[in-house]
C-alpha cells in the first residue's frame, strides 16, 4: 500500500494499514469481498460490467476476456449485494477498456458476450442453466 503523510499526533485508533515511519501494532481487521458498497473507477475509455446471476452461483468465479484474446482472462466471484429493494447476486468487473468481452462457462466455452462502454457501467445477465467455474 502506498504511504501518505501521517505526521500528526497518534491520538486516534489505527484501523488502517500504512507506514507511519515508526513501529506500532495495528489491530486485525477483516475485508470480505462483496460486503458493503462497491466503488467503481470509470471514465474516458474505461468502464465496468455488472453481471447478474442467480443465487445458486454465489462463490462461482466467472472469467472474462477481451474478444479475440482468450488468453487474457481474469475472474471475479459472484457475491450477494444488498440494495434498498433486496439482494442481487452479481460479479462486478471494473477497470475494463471499452470494447467487447467474452464470459466463460465452466466447460471452457464462451457462455455470453458483453459490450462495455467507456465512462459507463454495463449490466448483463448470466444465461440460465449455464454452469460457472467454482
Amino acid at each position: 500500500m502506498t504511504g501518505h503523510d501521517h505526521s500528526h499526533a497518534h491520538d486516534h485508533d489505527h484501523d488502517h494499514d500504512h507506514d507511519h515511519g515508526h513501529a506500532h501494532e495495528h489491530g486485525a481487521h477483516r475485508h470480505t469481498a462483496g460486503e458493503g458498497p462497491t466503488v467503481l473507477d470509470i471514465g474516458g475509455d474505461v468502464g465496468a460490467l455488472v453481471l447478474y446471476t442467480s443465487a445458486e452461483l454465489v462463490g462461482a468465479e466467472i472469467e472474462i476476456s477481451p474478444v479475440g484474446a482468450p488468453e487474457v482472462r481474469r475472474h471475479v466471484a459472484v457475491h450477494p449485494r444488498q440494495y434498498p429493494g433486496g439482494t442481487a447476486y452479481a460479479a462486478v468487473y471494473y477497470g475494463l477498456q471499452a470494447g467487447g468481452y467474452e464470459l466463460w462457462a465452466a466447460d471452457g466455452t464462451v457462455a455470453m458476450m458483453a459490450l462495455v462502454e467507456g465512462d459507463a457501467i454495463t449490466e448483463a445477465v448470466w444465461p440460465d442453466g449455464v454452469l460457472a467455474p467454482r
Side-chain angles (χ1 to χ4, degrees):
M1 179 174 225
T2 59
H4 60 269
D5 182 20
H6 206 25
S7 57
H8 60 274
H10 296 293
D11 59 353
H12 60 275
D13 290 335
H14 285 94
D15 60 354
H16 48 278
D17 183 21
H18 56 268
D19 183 12
H20 296 285
H22 61 273
H24 62 269
E25 291 296 316
H26 287 280
H29 57 278
R30 181 175 66 95
H31 294 286
T32 303
E35 288 184 357
T38 301
V39 178
L40 302 174
D41 187 13
I42 61 173
D45 289 338
V46 177
L49 172 65
V50 177
L51 179 65
Y52 296 103
T53 73
S54 64
E56 291 77 27
L57 292 182
V58 168
E61 296 188 348
I62 301 174
E63 293 182 315
I64 189 170
S65 66
V67 170
E71 70 284 355
V72 184
R73 294 187 197 183
R74 73 180 208 200
H75 62 269
V76 172
V78 175
H79 293 284
R81 304 197 183 262
Q82 304 300 315
Y83 67 99
T87 302
Y89 306 94
V92 179
Y93 303 85
Y94 60 90
L96 299 176
Q97 289 295 312
Y101 287 85
E102 297 173 322
L103 292 117
W104 298 82
D107 66 3
T109 63
V110 174
M112 63 178 289
M113 295 176 68
L115 181 61
V116 174
E117 296 182 25
D119 198 28
I121 299 170
T122 301
E123 296 179 297
V125 178
W126 185 255
D128 283 339
V130 175
L131 296 178
R134 293 248 172 214

